[in-house]
């Protein structure tokens, strides 16, 4: 499935909720479905700087696509990284690099986060794209 198609699914899912408390609850539920990251990646080397809470992100490159795993010590943040992984994981580096992530604004996520969580969201996306750039450079 293309990144844009996954983004549209997420937009549709979030549009079912009118109240932002319901959307936060949905994010929390999504976070519960995040596959556990291997404990060996829960070190400072894999922590995303710029996040209010701890977020560990690992990327692997297999058969031409990037596969992300992550975890967080905060439930809302865990939900946020879950949707980012859903959108970007299992795509090529070029697809990840060129993704515009417009769905974040369309579901209203950034405007309903505290400034520090919003900065964390930006840091998560930046780190995921940096992994994609690194994998692309390795293959060229």
């Amino acid at each position: 499935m293309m990144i844009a198609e996954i983004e549209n699914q997420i937009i549709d899912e979030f549009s079912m909720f009118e109240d932002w408390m319901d959307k936060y609850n949905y994010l929390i539920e999504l976070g519960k479905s995040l596959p556990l990251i291997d404990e060996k990646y829960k070190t400072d080397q894999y922590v995303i700087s710029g996040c209010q809470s701890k977020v560990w992100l690992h990327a692997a490159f297999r058969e031409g696509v990037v596969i992300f795993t992550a975890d967080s010590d905060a439930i809302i943040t865990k939900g946020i990284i879950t949707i980012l992984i859903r959108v970007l994981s299992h795509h090529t580096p070029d697809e990840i690099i060129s993704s515009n992530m417009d769905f974040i604004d369309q579901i209203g996520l950034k405007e309903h986060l505290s400034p520090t969580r919003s900065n964390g969201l930006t840091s998560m996306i930046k780190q995921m794209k940096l992994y994609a750039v690194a994998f692309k450079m390795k293959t060229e």
Side-chain angles (χ1 to χ4, degrees):
M1 191 177 296
M2 304 291 294
I3 287 177
E5 293 171 308
I6 299 167
E7 289 177 330
N8 286 333
Q9 280 182 343
I10 292 169
I11 292 166
D12 288 345
E13 291 165 15
F14 274 82
S15 71
M16 294 186 302
F17 308 103
E18 290 185 30
D19 181 86
W20 255 95
M21 286 311 296
D22 293 333
K23 292 180 184 189
Y24 283 131
N25 286 330
Y26 184 60
L27 263 179
I28 291 167
E29 287 304 310
L30 288 174
K32 291 177 183 176
S33 69
L34 182 65
L36 292 179
I37 190 172
D38 191 313
E39 285 296 316
K40 69 182 176 187
Y41 300 122
K42 288 181 85 171
T43 64
D44 288 344
Q45 178 183 348
Y46 297 95
V47 170
I48 298 176
S49 60
C51 291
Q52 177 180 350
S53 51
K54 281 207 180 222
V55 179
W56 299 272
L57 178 69
H58 176 259
F61 190 62
R62 293 189 204 111
E63 299 176 16
V65 297
V66 182
I67 300 165
F68 293 104
T69 56
D71 197 5
S72 176
D73 61 358
I75 56 174
I76 294 283
T77 307
K78 201 170 191 166
I80 293 168
I81 195 68
T82 300
I83 61 173
L84 295 179
I85 287 175
R86 182 173 158 194
V87 170
L88 297 178
S89 199
H90 298 281
H91 291 284
T92 67
D94 283 334
E95 291 170 326
I96 294 167
I97 294 163
S98 65
S99 65
N100 59 25
M101 308 300 281
D102 282 345
F103 81 97
I104 292 167
D105 291 330
Q106 291 184 41
I107 64 174
L109 183 58
K110 217 172 201 177
E111 68 188 64
H112 286 90
L113 295 175
S114 67
T116 52
R117 284 216 199 287
S118 185
N119 288 340
L121 169 63
T122 302
S123 295
M124 287 183 241
I125 294 167
K126 180 180 173 186
Q127 185 61 51
M128 294 173 96
K129 289 191 175 217
L130 283 173
Y131 272 123
V133 168
F135 290 129
K136 180 180 177 158
M137 289 175 67
K138 272 188 177 178
T139 61
E140 290 181 347

